[in-house]
């Protein structure tokens, strides 16, 4: 018998997006003009970070989420890079730690205090050096503490242990051309990458092996993006021969034929996919588009179901995507985007309207929390672990500032790590220069003292501010 149900049942058929009120935006920010397909914005339950224009170097600004409105033109920046910043990513296990990558070939990891500092943050907790060209992609491991991935225009993917400042793995000889994007699967056991050589690769980073690859999932020449979605499937965006934008869904067990392949429109902006595994919704934000399209991925044909489009007048320069634990469950919010314009950042809230005020547990299954499931060395030795989940029934309250401690294995005693190194005149002392170690050691010790003093000063200055603000 023919099914009478024409419209597919889904609780997400009526997801509805709206921008916040004008005073809830972040105004007067000079968003970076670098041409690069990064999202330029990273958000978590405490902060919004945005790559900004900066003369003679690279910078990004970090604002506490609640500090909406006009941004003071003297608001401190994070300015350690000597060339433009290309990508930023908050650590999933510590909301005060953010990594940045730059045209200056380095990756830096920063500790952001809960208070707004008085002056620019210029000292990273650690600088990761190993790429020989600009580094356009960084991404933290979803479940292992302190594991960070970077991909550069030297076609290398490097995995770092941020807690020791060392390279864990260098994936060379895998990509023959520019890497477009890199994504982890849910437990961080596999990577998916897209590359200018028109291949999508599934990589086991610890075995340093390509476990599956697909040549030309989309026939067009423009950049492809790929992400893992549920059940090990891969979702891609790309272009057809006729330059129409396409999306595709693929099964790793049979990478030859797509499960779904849909044409969307003709526009040349690369589509950035954002995936929410709790709801199985993929949101597509095209750079330069003024809309966000979203689709639900299910186990029944056509597998990728168009839900709706959020449209606005202004094109987006970049986009931040809030992790689930940063959403307002009392308003049935299932996603929040941070849309970058030329001079401002506009939050866009996606909700599923419900009549009841009660916690909607069908919208909010337990979701990855801030605790890592593994240590870096456990992961490196072959262990896998799913994310540690938390309930959002009572909302999520961010935890207090935790310091990232970097314990460098004494670099002077050890050989430089394998893989590409650029020569350093001073940090690679050789035995023919006695006394150099002591000088380096003393400089390091004095720097630590100075940093501690500066931190103390800025703590006291903040206390002072509290006194002056608290007086009636």
């Amino acid at each position: 018998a023919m099914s009478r149900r024409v419209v597919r049942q889904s609780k997400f058929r009526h997801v509805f997006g709206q921008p916040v009120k004008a005073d809830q935006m972040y105004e007067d920010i000079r968003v970076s003009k670098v041409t690069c397909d990064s999202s330029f914005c990273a958000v978590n339950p405490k902060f919004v970070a945005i790559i900004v224009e900066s003369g003679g170097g690279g910078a990004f600004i970090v604002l506490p989420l609640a500090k909406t409105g006009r941004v003071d033109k003297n608001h401190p920046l994070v300015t350690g890079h000597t060339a433009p910043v290309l990508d930023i990513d908050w650590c999933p296990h510590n909301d005060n730690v953010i990594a940045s990558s730059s045209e200056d070939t380095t990756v830096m990891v920063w500790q952001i205090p809960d208070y707004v500092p008085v002056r620019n943050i210029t000292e990273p907790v650690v600088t990761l050096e190993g790429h020989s060209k600009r580094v356009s992609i960084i991404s933290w491991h979803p479940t292992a503490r302190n594991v960070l991935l970077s991909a550069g225009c030297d076609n290398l993917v490097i995995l770092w242990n941020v807690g020791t400042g060392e390279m864990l793995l260098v994936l060379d000889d895998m990509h023959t051309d520019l890497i477009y994007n890199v994504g982890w699967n849910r437990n961080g056991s596999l990577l998916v990458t897209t590359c200018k050589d028109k291949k999508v690769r599934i990589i086991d980073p610890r075995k340093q092996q390509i476990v599956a690859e697909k040549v030309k999932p989309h026939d067009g020449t423009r950049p492809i993006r790929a992400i893992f979605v549920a059940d090990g499937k891969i979702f891609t965006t790309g272009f057809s021969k006729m330059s129409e934008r396409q999306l595709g869904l693929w099964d790793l067990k049979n990478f030859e034929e797509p499960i779904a392949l849909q044409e969307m429109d003709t526009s040349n902006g690369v589509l950035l996919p954002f995936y929410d595994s709790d709801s199985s919704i993929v949101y597509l934000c095209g750079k330069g588009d003024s809309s966000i399209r979203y689709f639900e991925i299910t186990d029944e044909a056509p597998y990728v179901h168009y839900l709706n489009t959020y449209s606005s007048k202004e094109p987006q320069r970049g986009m931040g995507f809030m992790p689930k634990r940063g959403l307002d469950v009392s308003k049935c919010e299932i996603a929040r985007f941070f849309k970058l314009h030329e001079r401002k950042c506009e939050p866009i809230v996606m909700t599923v309207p419900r009549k009841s005020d009660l916690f909607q547990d069908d919208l909010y299954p337990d979701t990855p929390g801030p605790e890592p499931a593994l240590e870096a060395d456990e992961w490196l030795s072959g262990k896998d672990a799913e994310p540690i989940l938390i309930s959002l029934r009572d909302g999520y309250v961010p935890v207090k500032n935790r310091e990232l401690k970097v314990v460098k294995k004494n670099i002077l005693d050890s050989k430089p790590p394998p893989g590409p190194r650029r020569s350093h005149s001073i940090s690679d002392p050789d035995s023919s220069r006695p006394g150099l170690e002591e000088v380096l050691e003393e400089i390091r010790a004095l720097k630590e003292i100075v940093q501690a003093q500066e931190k103390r000063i800025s703590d006291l200055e903040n206390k002072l501010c509290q006194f002056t603000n608290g007086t009636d």
Side-chain angles (χ1 to χ4, degrees), residues 20 60 81 85 123 141 168 189 237-238 302 335-336 365 395 452:
V20 296
F60 58 98
H81 287 288
V85 175
E123 285 293 313
H141 191 286
L168 293 177
S189 58
T237 63
R336 191 186 312 157

Side-chain angles (χ1 to χ4, degrees), residues 93 141-146 186-187 369-376 378-379 383-389:
H93 308 126
H141 191 286
T143 61
R145 190 196 313 271
N146 288 342
R186 187 170 165 87
N187 69 3
E371 279 308 308
L374 291 171
E375 297 301 326
E378 292 181 291
W379 177 76
K383 271 198 184 146
D384 287 320
E386 294 301 312
I388 295 176
L389 305 182

Side-chain angles (χ1 to χ4, degrees), residues 409-450:
K409 308 234 165 84
N410 189 340
I411 294 176
L412 300 172
D413 305 337
S414 66
K415 296 196 252 325
R421 284 296 285 173
R422 291 191 308 289
S423 59
H424 277 47
S425 51
I426 183 156
S427 66
D428 284 337
D430 56 61
S431 51
S432 65
R433 291 181 291 177
L436 182 60
E437 294 180 39
E438 285 80 279
V439 176
L440 281 172
E441 212 29 72
E442 189 170 347
I443 290 174
R444 201 173 289 136
L446 286 169
K447 271 191 176 160
E448 275 178 15
I449 293 168
V450 173

